[in-house]
Amino acid sequence: MSANAVADRVLGLLPDRADWQAVRRSPRRDLVAGLTVAVVALPLALAFGVTSGLGAQAGLVTAVVAGAVAAVFGGSHLQVSGPTGAMTVVLVPVVQQFGPTGVLMVGALAGLLLIALALARLGRYVRYLPTPVIEGFTAGIAVVIALQQVPAALGVTDAHGDRVWAVAADAVARFVVHPRPVALAVALGVAALMLLGARFRPGVPFSLLGVAAATVLAETFPLDLVRIGALPQGLPAPSLGFLDPGAVGVLLPSALAVAALAALESLLSATVADGMTVGQRHDPDRELFGQGLANLAAPVFGGIPATAAIARTAVNVRAGAASKLAALTHAVALAAIVLAAAPLVGRIPLAALAGVLLATTVRMIEAGSLWALARATRGDALVLVLTFAVTVAWDLVTAVAVGVAVAVVIALRAVARSARLEQVPLDRGEHSAEEHALLAEHIVAYRLDGPLFFAAAHTFLLELSEVADVRVVILRMSRVSALDATGAHVLGDAIGRLRGRGITVLLSGITPDHDQVLSTLGVADELRRDGLVFPDTPAAIAHARDLLRGPVPT
């Protein structure tokens, strides 16, 4: 791609006049929606920051900086971005291996990768992700986030383990030896308040109320609760000190995982938002571009990698948002909270934030949808269970890769089974009974239906190789829906085997696309030279009769 083409492509991804026209339609409703989302996002940003390993401040910074940049440059009018539970699942091992500066570098690299995906116009391909994969990793993420909250919910600060489930198990073991029931009671109380409150009063921000109540209790009574700790009053000064060109090679695999997750979660969230509204459609490439810029900006201020948040986006839609102003207002409101109430935020118990995330995980799992998929087909059930299990046991990106791979294998198996090699009767027309007897005895016509590609080609070869007691075989190709290099080579192999047994092979009805594949690979060149390739089946049958009759005596 030339420099001018890249420049034109970038200009096409920037905000346009239609974005700002949407802002002017209902600014008051967007402002109210943005404030509503900020109230919901505050405890989540704090909790996800703590869970990531970089602290509550990193979560707030991410919600403010990445939320604002993605709101302006993203491809959805309704999307709200910031730290998410799925991203913390990927970041925890990065923090353990490379430390905080490594996470900032990973975020910047992921931002560059997302911008590259947008320039390559790859955003549209997320629509091909199988539903069992999406549901499987969503349920897996929910379980992983819940396991991450076990230490804070039990009041344990020194749990260890290589995997999240191992850390949770170690926290439980330490809790049994030195129980701290107050922390557990606070976590369960906040979670119960959110779940029960949402059922009876869905419009009330019970997450914020629960965190506030837990903080008041902790300040009023001498409870043994671990707090968030001191937060600076304001955003950190921008810095590029985390940049380390020499570490790119080591950090690139982690950056690829973060970029894959950011792209996947953001585009899925935008699709969900479109489905909740009428007349709203996101631009997937612009969304990737906006998320890329957001992940470039957040590390400069000490923030963690960000992505669109399905929960906050849903709140935004339900609150009446109609333009980017709502998501931008949410970021500005969070910035104001950081500036005005940082000391108060620092007194929030970690157990209360654990309760917020426990309730969030319960809401993430759609039991009815999972059960329906598990009963749909055995293939769907297998993909669902595998994706879920790998998400919990290893990591999200590996889970998506495994789920997609298994789904592709199952789909190919089903498509391959749809390919048929069917013997068909020759058109009787006005031929005499003697001619039909001759044709039936020595000429066989086969119609190839469906795709002839690598998954189905060898079955075709086995079936065709069993043809016996004939002098001419007509292969009718007009109904072949797909033909790849493997299928073409197998077709050539089958023709060669038949000709080696003295059987004449005629081809009919080859489409131009398939003829190009065959010609490029040199398949059936001998048949073309001998005049044994025909545009339609009647011409092939007529030639077969001429071959059997032999030369006309003079």
Side-chain angles (χ1 to χ4, degrees):
M1 187 180 291
S2 65
N4 290 335
V6 172
D8 292 341
R9 179 64 180 145
V10 171
L11 289 175
L13 294 171
L14 295 176
D16 53 27
R17 182 178 300 177
D19 295 326
W20 309 122
Q21 288 175 344
V23 168
R24 291 196 293 267
R25 289 190 192 119
S26 53
R28 180 177 300 178
R29 191 169 64 176
D30 285 330
L31 291 172
V32 172
L35 293 173
T36 303
V37 176
V39 170
V40 175
L42 175 61
L44 291 175
L46 295 171
F48 289 137
V50 172
T51 303
S52 72
L54 267 69
Q57 176 189 353
L60 279 174
V61 167
T62 304
V64 173
V65 177
V69 174
V72 173
F73 293 97
S76 170
H77 288 173
L78 307 174
Q79 194 97 281
V80 179
S81 299
T84 64
M87 188 61 76
T88 61
V89 172
V90 177
L91 292 179
V92 168
V94 177
V95 175
Q96 294 173 348
Q97 188 173 0
F98 303 109
T101 56
V103 172
L104 301 182
M105 186 69 178
V106 164
L109 289 173
L112 292 175
L113 291 170
L114 288 168
I115 292 174
L117 292 176
L119 294 175
R121 293 183 171 91
L122 296 180
R124 70 198 71 176
Y125 293 107
V126 75
R127 71 186 68 170
Y128 300 116
L129 198 64
T131 299
V133 174
I134 297 172
E135 295 290 347
F137 82 66
T138 301
I141 288 171
V143 171
V144 171
I145 295 173
L147 290 173
Q148 287 177 339
Q149 308 319 306
V150 171
L154 299 179
V156 176
T157 58
D158 55 351
H160 302 287
D162 295 332
R163 299 285 180 183
V164 63
W165 47 266
V167 175
D170 186 55
V172 172
R174 293 174 185 270
F175 179 80
V176 171
V177 177
H178 300 290
R180 303 176 74 173
V182 174
L184 180 59
V186 168
L188 295 179
V190 171
L193 177 64
M194 288 180 61
L195 294 174
L196 294 175
R199 173 169 295 191
F200 298 106
R201 290 286 188 273
V204 178
F206 285 101
S207 59
L208 190 63
L209 293 178
V211 170
T215 305
V216 170
L217 285 175
E219 292 295 306
T220 305
F221 302 99
L223 302 179
D224 184 18
L225 292 171
V226 180
R227 313 297 181 94
I228 288 177
L231 293 174
Q233 289 185 277
L235 296 176
S239 172
L240 296 176
F242 64 89
L243 291 178
D244 182 7
V248 171
V250 178
L251 296 176
L252 189 57
S254 299
L256 287 170
V258 169
L261 175 59
L264 186 64
E265 192 169 10
S266 297
L267 294 177
L268 289 176
S269 176
T271 302
V272 171
D274 289 347
M276 296 175 63
T277 60
V278 177
Q280 290 280 5
R281 288 295 178 267
H282 73 282
D283 183 326
D285 294 324
R286 282 186 60 190
E287 184 60 32
L288 290 180
F289 184 73
Q291 294 297 331
L293 292 179
N295 279 285
L296 281 177
V300 175
F301 293 90
I304 61 177
T307 177
I310 295 178
R312 275 161 275 180
T313 298
V315 171
N316 194 39
V317 174
R318 293 192 186 103
S323 75
K324 294 173 176 289
L325 180 60
L328 187 59
T329 300
H330 136 272
V332 173
L334 288 178
I337 292 173
V338 172
L339 292 172
L344 180 60
V345 172
R347 301 300 298 166
I348 295 175
L350 291 178
L353 297 182
V356 171
L357 292 183
L358 288 173
T360 301
T361 61
V362 174
R363 291 176 177 176
M364 287 176 65
I365 298 178
E366 295 286 345
S369 178
L370 292 175
W371 180 239
L373 278 174
R375 292 184 302 165
T377 67
R378 285 184 295 179
D380 288 334
L382 177 62
V383 172
L384 177 71
V385 172
L386 272 179
T387 306
F388 171 82
V390 176
T391 299
V392 176
W394 280 277
D395 60 76
L396 177 64
V397 176
T398 302
V400 172
V402 170
V404 170
V406 174
V408 167
V409 171
I410 292 173
L412 289 176
R413 183 167 174 263
V415 173
R417 287 182 169 181
S418 70
R420 298 191 307 275
L421 181 67
E422 180 182 359
Q423 183 176 347
V424 295
L426 299 174
D427 186 13
R428 291 183 175 271
E430 296 181 354
H431 305 300
S432 65
E434 291 77 14
E435 285 179 311
H436 279 293
L438 187 62
L439 292 174
E441 182 178 355
H442 297 293
I443 299 177
V444 176
Y446 284 93
R447 182 175 60 215
L448 282 68
D449 282 333
L452 182 58
F453 69 128
F454 69 91
H458 295 287
T459 300
F460 157 79
L461 175 62
L462 291 175
E463 291 185 21
L464 193 57
S465 298
E466 295 176 358
V467 173
D469 299 326
V470 297
R471 291 172 56 187
V472 180
V473 170
I474 301 173
L475 299 181
R476 301 174 59 179
M477 305 283 291
S478 60
R479 296 193 183 183
V480 175
S481 58
L483 178 69
D484 68 356
T486 303
H489 277 300
V490 169
L491 176 63
D493 190 11
I495 292 172
R497 293 190 185 191
L498 292 172
R499 287 168 64 89
R501 291 162 49 194
I503 299 174
T504 302
V505 180
L506 311 182
L507 298 181
S508 71
I510 302 175
T511 64
D513 290 342
H514 300 160
D515 190 47
Q516 181 179 1
V517 175
L518 296 174
S519 299
T520 302
L521 297 175
V523 176
D525 283 349
E526 293 185 8
L527 299 185
R528 286 189 176 85
R529 286 196 298 267
D530 296 339
L532 301 179
V533 178
F534 301 90
D536 53 52
T537 301
I541 294 175
H543 188 77
R545 287 204 312 272
D546 292 340
L547 288 174
L548 291 180
R549 288 172 179 166
V552 179
T554 59

